[in-house]
Structure formats: structure tokens, C-alpha cells
Amino acid sequence: MTIHILLTGASRGIGAAIADALGGADVRLARQSTRAFLAADFADPAAPADLWQRALDELDGRIDVLVNNAGVFEASPLDAEHDAWVAEWERTMRINLTASAELCRLAVRHWQDRGEGGRIVNVASRAAYRGDSPAHWHYAASKAGMVGMTKSIARGYARENILAFAICPGFTMTGMAEDYLESRGGDKLLADIPLGRVAAPEEVAAIARFCALEAPASMTGAVLDVNGASYVR
């Protein structure tokens, strides 16, 4: 049977690499991308439900796998004006966590209504466990929330064959990471990664593909690190 997958954040970086990794005759992929038919701005509270319905329409009413990859990494300095700091916190939570939560809920309900299982793959971050810079409290908190949500889904719905996995990359060589590396001194930051380099998007994508299509059911609830041993637990 052809597997129907909804992937968010597929425009570039990790998302584009996941889309490539999922390509194949046995997969139909609906890609959420600002450059594609399924464009969606998750800063808009109406966007997740609208995206889900359009993806269902594109995939003939059935989605088997949800991959939540969309997210933002935007600085919010502690000395910013209070209202601006709060607004940035809420924007990051809305895009990184709340939109993913809405899609997870819609996916679980979809599979329950169909009486079939499904898989969720949430792309979180090393920051969920290690934290991040003083200007990125909101980012770390949003990714920690994603990990907690993934574990809750796994525990709550495993008996219905609804499986959930989280992936926690460290720095990955995307445009977003390149800007951050430059702002933090590049080589000095890399010295904190025992592997000596940041991950390639294709490495994260290989794990996402495994979770989406191949991981055994007993792995549900697993959180998989991809950080070059920069944080081990």
C-alpha cells in the first residue's frame, strides 16, 4: 500500500532533505512549503487546520504519517521591550509548538476515526534538553514542549497503533544554523562538538525516514539525538 505523508517545513534545510529521503514509488508526499501548493503560515492560528484539510484533499482523504518539521529560530534579547519580548515568545510557541500540537491532534483523531494506526515524527532540537542562548529561551522551551508532547502521544495511543517519535538535532548545516554559527564565533562553537562538525541535513533526514516508515512499533516514544555527541544523556 502506498504510504501517504504530510511533511511540514519542506522548503529548505532539514525539511527539503526529508522530502528527498521520503521519495519513492511507495510514498505520496504532501509538502507544506511557502513555495508550494500547500503554503501555510503557522503564525496564523487558522493555518494548521486549513493545511490538514488541504493535505487530506490532496491525498484522497487519508494521511498515514505526519512529520512536523516547520519551525523558526529567532532571537529575542532579554533587554528588548517587554511587549516585544512576549510577542516573540508567543510567535515562536505558536509556530514551533502549538501548530505541531494541532496537527498531532488532527492526526490522532483521523486515525481513531478510521480505526487504523499512524505515525508522528516530530523534529525537535538538542535545545530541548541542553537549553539554548539567553536570546533563545522561547526556542528551547518550544522544543522541550514538543518532546513532552511526543512522549505523551506515544504513551496515550500505543494500543491503537498510533506511534510517535522525536528527533533532536544539534546544529545542522542549514542557512539558519550557518547564521547562528557565525554569530557565535564558528570554530569556537564547533570545538564543543566532539565529532568536529555539525550534522548534514541528510543525516537528520535518514533518521526521519526510518521513524516514518521502518522503525519497529516498540520504539514508540523514542527521542533520537543527532548532535555529534555535543550532548549525551
Side-chain angles (χ1 to χ4, degrees), residues 20-164:
D20 290 342
L22 290 172
D26 58 345
V27 171
R28 283 186 64 189
L29 184 64
R31 299 173 48 151
Q32 180 260 319
S33 165
T34 55
R35 306 173 188 174
F37 168 71
L38 290 177
D41 178 3
F42 284 164
D44 177 358
D50 177 69
L51 171 67
W52 178 263
Q53 187 56 58
R54 285 186 289 136
L56 276 178
D57 293 343
E58 183 171 322
L59 295 172
D60 304 326
R62 173 172 57 86
I63 293 173
D64 304 305
V65 179
L66 167 66
V67 182
N68 277 313
N69 171 72
V72 293
F73 182 80
E74 299 169 342
S76 181
L78 199 63
D79 59 359
E81 291 293 329
H82 182 74
D83 288 349
W85 189 90
V86 172
E88 189 58 44
W89 176 282
E90 292 180 346
R91 169 179 160 80
T92 292
M93 288 296 175
R94 158 57 60 184
I95 295 172
N96 288 9
L97 182 57
T98 305
S100 295
E102 290 187 47
L103 290 171
C104 285
R105 176 184 177 273
L106 290 165
V108 169
R109 295 297 302 272
H110 175 64
W111 297 325
Q112 288 177 327
D113 289 345
R114 294 178 62 86
E116 300 174 354
R119 292 180 178 232
I120 292 169
V121 182
N122 287 324
V123 180
S125 169
R126 178 186 71 171
Y129 290 99
R130 178 172 146 152
D132 213 291
S133 81
H136 293 90
W137 291 10
H138 52 343
Y139 178 79
S142 71
K143 294 303 186 176
M146 182 174 273
V147 170
M149 177 177 69
T150 303
K151 293 179 178 182
S152 299
I153 293 168
R155 288 177 57 80
Y157 307 104
R159 289 188 182 274
E160 298 172 71
N161 199 32
I162 295 172
L163 313 179

Side-chain angles (χ1 to χ4, degrees), residues 163-183:
L163 313 179
F165 310 91
I167 303 171
C168 285
F171 289 115
T172 306
M173 194 46 67
T174 66
M176 187 165 62
E178 287 170 355
D179 292 343
Y180 189 87
L181 285 168
E182 183 177 349
S183 72

